[in-house]
Amino acid sequence: MSGTGRAVRAEWTKLRTLPSTGWLLLALAGLTVAVGAAVTGSVDTSHCTSPAGCQEDTVRLALSGVRLGQVAAVVLGVLAVGGEYAAGTIAATLAAVPRRGTVLAAKAAVVAGAVAAAGTAGVLASLAAGRGLLTGNGFTAANGYPPLSPLDGPTARAAVGTVLYLVLVALLALGVGTALRDQAAAITAVLALLWIVPVVVQFVGDEAWRDRLVKFAPMPAGLAVQATRNLDRLPIGPWPGLGVLAVYAAAALLAGAVLFAVRDA
Amino acid sequence: MDATIEVRGLRKRFGPTVAVDDLSFTAGPGRVTGFVGPNGAGKSTTMRMIMGLDRPDAGTALVGGRPYRSLRTPLCKLGAMLDASAVHPARRARDHLLWLAHANGLPARRVDEVIELAGLGGAARRRAGGFSLGMRQRLGIAAALLGDPPALMFDEPVNGLDPEGIAWMRGLLRSLAAEGRAVLVSSHLMGELEGGADHLVVIGRGRLIADTAVQDLLEAASAGRVELRTARRQEAMTALAHAGATVTATGRDAVTVTGLTTERIITLLTGAGVAFTGIAEHRASLEEAYMELTKDAVEFQAVTGREAP
């Protein structure tokens, strides 16, 4: 096995032997499904003039639980490296794998894999739950809302994109955690980065400015990948939106990698 | 060649503080090298630089002739225990060793071997957070032995251990050296190394003070000092001082003499008709020799005499 392969195996062993990992992955999938179902269940067609006139993006609605589920991805990403600084095991990690770049790459790989698995479970279960709830609330095929199916083109893109969104958020957290080393500070920083624009934008009156902010903020831009209706009216397209988040994640990982390499452990 | 830890011109500064200053020494195969100095002398920093955790400002540190960071399976070249408390409290002891083994391509079988070697046995499946200091030390030892390395390094391994643990640790260090390995072990208490180390590297304020075999150090510290017991102290001191010796009273009936051989002292005293009850060449303890070496280099000297009248 190559050095990188061994490092990935070690990081995987490290990740799976902490009880918190299982709980966080469960929380990621569970919160995504539960919050998605709660939001979906609370919306029906009665507030619209006609059911078809609602123009509700049912896929986005069913997947809205990731807004909360992502918190678990953030914590997992930060803990993967911040937990090592808190416990002091970073010295043992670097004793076993002295190359900093290899350590960070291996951590990124296992965090991404674990979040992708839990995220896939959460997303598929959310779509299944949404399918049942939506038909019950009047979003039927007859009204122009075909039942949710992960095999449908835009729905599949939204589902895959949402899983990637969770992975990128976790990698962003891993990068920030590596740069800051302190768990509490890193979790706070990432959550603030994700939520600041969605909160601030509510107080911005000018629509052009709102669009500009949304376009370059990691969470609103990244979640554009969930949209399946009225794509032309989005401030940023689904894939470019996810690309914005990817740039944030890459920048955070790069900053983390540089600091990790030049700093004393 | 593999079983050496070598440091050449190592230097490290933290802000305005020079932690390690042009330090060179070698820990060779088949012996326990004690790495001694007061707290804050730079021992841990030196060990961290040997392991590539801290980057030196100048100089090199080599393990088996190579920089640590260039090693492909470092756990098989150097086993180290720097901080025994550095284990994740929520992880089981065996799992801690397992991820280390995986990182260097070592089989799980080896994990179970070192668990037995370190005497962890029954505790291996327990979470490390509930371990006593002694158990953590044993886990740290197990991790250091994992790759069966030719060189080993321990930072203050007996700190906080009970006498039984200290004896165990001392025996372990000796047996590792007897197998031909290089063993570098730091301590701020020289007494802890008495009977444990073959060679000593003494540092103070980051600088090398002595690099010597324990035997030579003890001989140098003992050299030429003769202890004399006599009820007629004053007469003895006068007679010996006349013969050119340096004489110090060390007790009501005890005198330390330097500058004369035991034989000559006996002749002089007999000639002068001064009776004595005991005469012996002084044998310095390691602690004594060390105090003599470091008395100028102690960074945090206790402030004494402040309360004295």
Side-chain angles (χ1 to χ4, degrees):
Chain A
M1 209 186 285
S2 72
T4 312
R6 288 194 301 259
V8 170
R9 188 160 180 227
E11 287 301 330
W12 171 239
T13 306
K14 220 185 272 181
L15 196 66
R16 74 175 171 77
T17 54
L18 280 186
S20 58
T21 305
W23 291 114
L24 283 168
L25 293 176
L26 199 65
L28 193 161
L31 284 172
T32 302
V33 177
V35 173
V39 170
T40 310
S42 68
V43 178
D44 60 27
T45 53
S46 62
H47 69 285
C48 313
T49 44
S50 75
C54 276
Q55 292 287 314
E56 198 62 64
D57 189 339
T58 49
V59 176
R60 179 167 209 159
L61 207 55
L63 295 177
S64 56
V66 288
R67 285 162 185 269
L68 205 59
Q70 67 180 343
V71 174
V74 169
V75 175
L76 188 78
V78 167
L79 287 192
V81 62
E84 294 234 45
Y85 282 102
T89 51
I90 191 70
T93 294
L94 293 176
V97 184
R99 286 165 211 262
R100 270 58 168 171
T102 306
V103 170
L104 191 58
K107 283 189 184 295
V110 298
V111 165
V115 169
T120 303
V123 162
L124 289 179
S126 294
L127 288 177
R131 187 181 168 124
L133 289 163
L134 287 163
T135 8
N137 288 354
F139 294 102
T140 56
N143 290 333
Y145 300 97
L148 298 183
S149 160
L151 301 177
D152 165 60
T155 310
R157 186 256 298 143
V160 171
T162 301
V163 173
L164 291 177
Y165 172 88
L166 288 167
V167 169
L168 289 171
V169 164
L171 292 178
L172 170 68
L174 177 68
V176 173
T178 309
L180 298 184
R181 295 193 276 196
D182 181 83
Q183 304 180 82
I187 291 173
T188 310
V190 176
L191 290 181
L193 180 64
L194 290 173
W195 287 99
I196 188 156
V197 164
V199 170
V200 163
V201 87
Q202 300 179 17
F203 305 104
V204 176
D206 184 58
E207 198 169 328
W209 267 105
R210 257 196 320 236
D211 279 5
R212 252 172 245 156
L213 282 172
V214 163
K215 240 189 207 167
F216 297 111
M219 177 157 99
L223 285 176
V225 83
Q226 295 185 328
T228 58
R229 258 176 200 259
N230 307 321
L231 296 184
D232 50 331
R233 274 192 255 151
L234 289 172
I236 189 164
W239 289 119
L242 197 65
V244 168
L245 175 61
V247 169
Y248 275 92
L253 278 176
L254 186 68
V258 168
L259 286 169
F260 196 29
V262 302
R263 233 170 12 196
D264 286 340
Chain B
M1 187 57 194
D2 259 11
T4 56
I5 300 168
E6 189 186 359
V7 158
R8 286 286 160 263
L10 217 52
R11 195 185 298 273
K12 179 74 179 178
R13 174 188 285 276
F14 294 111
T17 317
V18 179
V20 175
D21 193 2
D22 195 21
L23 185 62
S24 304
F25 67 85
T26 302
R31 67 187 190 199
V32 177
T33 303
F35 188 28
V36 199
N39 284 324
K43 302 185 295 293
S44 296
T45 303
T46 302
M47 288 185 153
R48 288 175 59 83
M49 286 192 282
I50 291 169
M51 290 181 73
L53 294 173
D54 289 356
R55 203 185 289 272
D57 295 330
T60 50
L62 302 174
V63 175
R66 293 183 57 193
Y68 191 86
R69 284 205 199 197
S70 75
L71 300 174
R72 285 179 47 80
T73 51
L75 299 182
C76 304
K77 304 289 181 223
L78 176 72
M81 183 181 76
L82 295 197
D83 178 6
S85 65
V87 282
H88 199 296
R91 194 176 277 123
R92 295 175 203 284
R94 187 176 183 280
D95 291 334
H96 175 72
L97 298 169
L98 194 61
W99 72 255
L100 282 169
H102 286 160
N104 278 230
L106 300 164
R109 172 171 37 82
R110 181 63 191 159
V111 170
D112 297 318
E113 279 171 21
V114 293
I115 285 172
E116 286 310 312
L117 264 174
L120 269 172
R125 308 246 166 214
R126 275 171 43 204
R127 300 198 191 280
F131 275 16
S132 65
L133 180 63
M135 294 300 282
R136 281 166 195 252
Q137 300 276 41
R138 283 174 189 264
L139 181 56
I141 296 287
L145 296 177
L146 199 57
D148 195 15
L152 290 132
M153 195 162 75
F154 303 98
D155 194 6
E156 303 273 359
V158 301
N159 219 4
L161 288 189
D162 53 23
E164 196 185 333
I166 293 175
W168 175 77
M169 187 71 72
R170 193 172 287 162
L172 180 78
L173 297 178
R174 290 241 59 97
S175 71
L176 290 170
E179 288 163 14
R181 299 175 214 259
V183 182
L184 181 65
V185 50
S186 79
S187 177
H188 65 283
L189 296 173
M190 184 67 103
E192 288 178 351
L193 294 172
E194 187 112 50
D198 312 294
H199 196 88
L200 287 177
V201 172
V202 183
I203 66 168
R205 298 183 192 236
R207 289 172 160 275
L208 186 72
I209 294 175
D211 183 347
T212 169
V214 170
Q215 200 56 42
D216 297 348
L217 178 69
L218 287 179
E219 272 165 24
S222 317
R225 287 164 74 184
V226 177
E227 280 173 1
L228 179 71
R229 298 191 85 80
T230 169
R232 297 165 64 189
R233 193 182 67 178
Q234 206 49 52
E235 291 165 76
M237 287 177 78
T238 314
L240 294 171
H242 271 304
T246 310
V247 194
T248 322
T250 50
R252 210 162 54 81
D253 59 352
V255 173
T256 300
V257 187
T258 43
L260 291 176
T261 64
T262 314
E263 249 179 357
R264 180 97 180 94
I265 294 168
I266 294 172
T267 316
L268 279 168
L269 291 178
T270 316
V274 179
F276 56 93
T277 52
I279 185 161
E281 277 173 29
H282 175 77
R283 184 152 171 77
S285 72
L286 210 46
E287 191 72 45
E288 216 177 317
Y290 168 65
M291 295 299 277
E292 191 66 28
L293 275 173
T294 56
K295 65 182 176 203
D296 301 324
V298 177
E299 184 135 18
F300 307 105
Q301 200 122 40
V303 181
T304 50
R306 187 177 285 169
E307 283 126 342

